[in-house]
Amino acid sequence: MAKNQKQIQYTVYENAQTLKVEHLNEYGEGIAYLDGYEIYLKGAVDGETVLAQIGEPFANGSKRRPGTIKEILISSPDREECFDESNLNIYPYAHLTYKGTLKRKQKMIKDALLQTKANAPEPSLIEECDVNTVCRFKSIRYFAEDSCRVVNGFYRMRSHEVLKVTSCPFEPQWFSDFANRLCYLFTDKKVSVYNETTLKGTLRSLLLRDTIQGRLCVLNINESKADDSFRNDYLNICREFLIDAVYLNFNPESGNTVLKGQMECLTEKKSITLNLKGLSYSAGPYTFLQVNYPVAQKLYEYAVNFCKKDAPEKSNALDMCCGCGTMTLMLGKHFCHVTGVEIVKEAVEAAKENALINGIENVSFIAGDMTEVIPKLASERDIYAAICDPSRNGLGEQNCKTLASIKSLKKIAFIFCSLKALRRDVKTLCECGFKVDEVKGFDMFPYTSHVETVVLMSRVNKG
């Protein structure tokens, strides 16, 4: 606090207080209210009554304060009694039963739809994930030092403090075994960990990917080069774990981007293969793939089936934000021609390669910003259906309006990873002549607040 800044008085609660938990936020914290204060309770479930010790405000003058649960007086029927509290940092809803997490996600989708004022139908039940099996096939681990040892883990919520992880539910076990094995090596060799304040140190992060058919890893370091001893030690451990494609990423810049700077492949094999819905996809370090393959296949099938249904013979389709062409190629089986649009040039090159691998010739790809590409497509292409799978930001109001201006466009399968984007983009498309036919969530990330939501829309016939 600045020297001249006056400390704003706040109520001191010497004794623990009885609180009713009103909400559950995206970080898995229960929210309660007391004398005008908003109390954040880690490990609480909405609907519970707890006895909690109230801490000081998060900042001078803030009405937000932490609370520490001393006793749960009235427990929620959705509480998972046997959860591991250490998992709360990885899976914010780990203290809920799986059915309890789905119930809350279903309500989140319904509330978002109501805010669009789109007169949407009741959302279908969320497509569940099999939480008894591995379902997250990509991981990013960060390095830190703990008692003079190199450790790996994930960032604590709302911070860049690395919390040590020795094993992670839902991920392939080799992710943890390999990362921990590297940490033993780096500790033994006295390799330093990158410090975000001083910008000094070597080890930054580790990207791991498993396609079931292959394994890939990228070690992200701060230096612009690595000596032969470092390379050989790293590569030898990769061989122990049967990793097919091995990379070093040299990133001397500040910031949090994981893959930035010079990428060097240390193996003959530069990519691995993923099989989905009878198609093969080449996956490299930059390739975007949904991390939960079993649920992703059901999502893709849901979106593609909607687009192809009742499609006129010799009609065309569009795949916005197509990535490596995952759904472009699936659409190609049902349409005369499919155009994939993606801003990342490396992804477009991968998409073209995937089309060749699968022998699909009726697709083409455009590398460019959709704000520039869509207007051109609107005037040149006769497009019947479109799949949109943008980043968390969604398409945006202007892009939605331009997309809707394609007069031949009758159907849109819109995949949202942010309900905030859903509220805006669905509202805009409805104002531009579309209606919501179906809505369904897909639980790609179990025990988190995140839910992939597919909104199927069609153009309103004005008769």
Side-chain angles (χ1 to χ4, degrees):
M1 186 173 65
K3 291 183 179 179
N4 297 328
Q5 185 178 358
K6 181 181 178 181
Q7 175 65 52
I8 298 175
Q9 295 297 313
Y10 58 87
T11 304
V12 176
Y13 299 97
E14 295 184 359
N15 299 319
Q17 302 293 306
T18 299
L19 303 172
K20 176 67 179 295
V21 184
E22 303 290 345
H23 312 288
L24 192 66
N25 69 10
E26 63 181 308
Y27 301 106
E29 298 165 316
I31 309 295
Y33 300 93
L34 176 67
D35 301 332
Y37 293 108
E38 195 171 69
I39 312 299
Y40 288 69
L41 300 157
K42 184 177 180 179
V45 178
D46 49 319
E48 292 185 329
T49 301
V50 302
L51 188 65
Q53 191 67 50
I54 312 302
E56 297 180 358
F58 288 119
N60 186 30
S62 174
K63 289 293 184 180
R64 299 180 176 185
R65 305 176 64 165
T68 303
I69 298 174
K70 299 297 182 182
E71 183 181 355
I72 298 175
L73 302 175
I74 301 176
S75 179
S76 167
D78 293 328
R79 172 172 286 280
E80 177 57 76
E81 298 294 347
C82 299
F83 81 98
D84 182 348
E85 191 168 346
S86 65
N87 284 334
L88 285 175
N89 185 66
I90 310 172
Y91 303 106
Y93 284 4
H95 56 315
L96 293 171
T97 63
Y98 184 57
K99 293 296 184 183
T101 69
L102 295 178
K103 184 194 304 182
R104 282 154 183 79
K105 293 183 184 186
Q106 190 78 15
K107 184 177 185 303
M108 288 162 53
I109 295 173
K110 185 175 181 179
D111 290 346
L113 285 171
L114 287 173
Q115 292 180 52
T116 67
K117 299 180 180 178
N119 194 28
E122 189 80 10
S124 303
L125 291 177
I126 292 175
E127 187 68 48
E128 298 184 17
C129 172
D130 183 355
V131 294
N132 296 310
T133 63
V134 170
C135 58
R136 296 189 68 164
F137 292 90
K138 176 186 173 184
S139 184
I140 297 175
R141 304 289 182 92
Y142 298 92
F143 293 106
E145 290 181 353
D146 181 21
S147 301
C148 297
R149 299 195 65 83
V150 177
V151 298
N152 73 94
F154 303 101
Y155 285 141
R156 183 191 293 276
M157 289 182 292
R158 302 193 186 92
S159 80
H160 278 194
E161 176 191 356
V162 175
L163 292 182
K164 180 181 176 181
V165 169
T166 55
S167 184
C168 185
F170 308 131
E171 292 185 352
Q173 184 58 41
W174 77 264
F175 281 10
S176 294
D177 294 342
F178 173 66
N180 294 333
R181 178 73 175 81
L182 283 179
C183 287
Y184 291 136
L185 168 71
F186 296 144
T187 298
D188 183 57
K189 297 291 185 178
K190 295 181 171 52
V191 183
S192 60
V193 173
Y194 177 70
N195 184 298
E196 291 184 347
T197 302
T198 65
L199 307 183
K200 302 294 184 181
T202 297
L203 305 169
R204 300 184 69 144
S205 61
L206 180 68
L207 183 150
L208 303 167
R209 170 170 280 158
D210 189 330
T211 60
I212 303 174
Q213 288 80 34
R215 297 178 176 185
L216 177 147
C217 72
V218 181
L219 179 61
N220 184 21
I221 63 176
N222 187 41
E223 277 77 9
S224 59
K225 60 181 180 179
D227 61 33
D228 290 340
S229 176
F230 182 92
R231 291 165 183 266
N232 290 334
D233 288 339
Y234 166 51
L235 191 54
N236 285 337
I237 294 178
C238 291
R239 287 171 178 153
E240 285 180 31
F241 283 84
L242 306 177
I243 299 175
D244 304 278
V246 179
Y247 284 84
L248 270 174
N249 185 58
F250 304 98
N251 180 10
E253 300 182 29
S254 61
N256 303 321
T257 305
V258 175
L259 301 183
K260 193 174 184 180
Q262 179 189 350
M263 184 74 74
E264 180 183 350
C265 186
L266 304 184
T267 50
E268 183 177 342
K269 199 167 186 178
K270 293 180 170 54
S271 62
I272 52 180
T273 301
L274 173 66
N275 294 328
L276 287 176
K277 304 299 292 181
L279 295 168
S280 296
Y281 299 91
S282 177
Y286 296 105
T287 306
F288 171 77
L289 294 170
Q290 295 285 3
V291 302
N292 189 326
Y293 307 145
V295 176
Q297 290 190 85
K298 294 177 181 178
L299 184 153
Y300 297 152
E301 186 175 19
Y302 185 70
V304 171
N305 283 347
F306 173 74
C307 290
K308 74 176 186 179
K309 186 179 180 181
D310 301 324
E313 193 174 348
K314 295 185 178 180
S315 58
N316 300 324
L318 172 66
D319 186 6
M320 294 298 305
C321 310
C322 68
C324 65
T326 315
M327 285 182 285
T328 317
L329 302 189
M330 294 179 184
L331 287 168
K333 293 182 177 181
H334 309 287
F335 288 87
C336 182
H337 187 272
V338 184
T339 304
V341 179
E342 172 61 58
I343 195 171
V344 181
K345 292 181 179 179
E346 292 89 348
V348 169
E349 291 306 310
K352 291 177 180 178
E353 180 184 352
N354 287 330
L356 288 173
I357 290 172
N358 291 279
I360 297 177
E361 300 179 349
N362 61 329
V363 297
S364 60
F365 298 93
I366 300 174
D369 191 322
M370 56 188 167
T371 58
E372 300 172 0
V373 175
I374 296 177
K376 188 177 181 181
L377 291 174
S379 61
E380 293 182 356
R381 306 287 172 91
D382 183 22
I383 297 168
Y384 173 77
I387 287 180
C388 303
D389 189 9
S391 65
R392 291 188 65 82
N393 293 329
L395 284 187
E397 184 177 353
Q398 187 54 53
N399 285 327
C400 285
K401 288 180 178 179
T402 307
L403 183 66
S405 72
I406 302 176
K407 294 181 180 180
S408 60
L409 185 63
K410 303 299 182 185
K411 291 183 174 183
I412 301 174
F414 210 135
I415 302 165
F416 292 96
C417 55
S418 162
L419 292 176
K420 180 179 179 181
L422 182 153
R423 290 193 291 269
R424 180 201 60 220
D425 289 353
V426 169
K427 181 175 183 292
T428 301
L429 287 168
C430 286
E431 290 172 349
C432 293
F434 282 81
K435 65 180 178 68
V436 177
D437 294 328
E438 296 179 34
V439 181
K440 186 176 179 66
F442 290 80
D443 196 26
M444 207 81 73
F445 303 92
Y447 291 101
T448 72
S449 61
H450 182 80
V451 59
E452 295 277 320
T453 308
V454 182
V455 181
L456 305 180
M457 309 184 72
S458 59
R459 193 178 293 276
V460 178
N461 293 319
K462 297 184 179 180

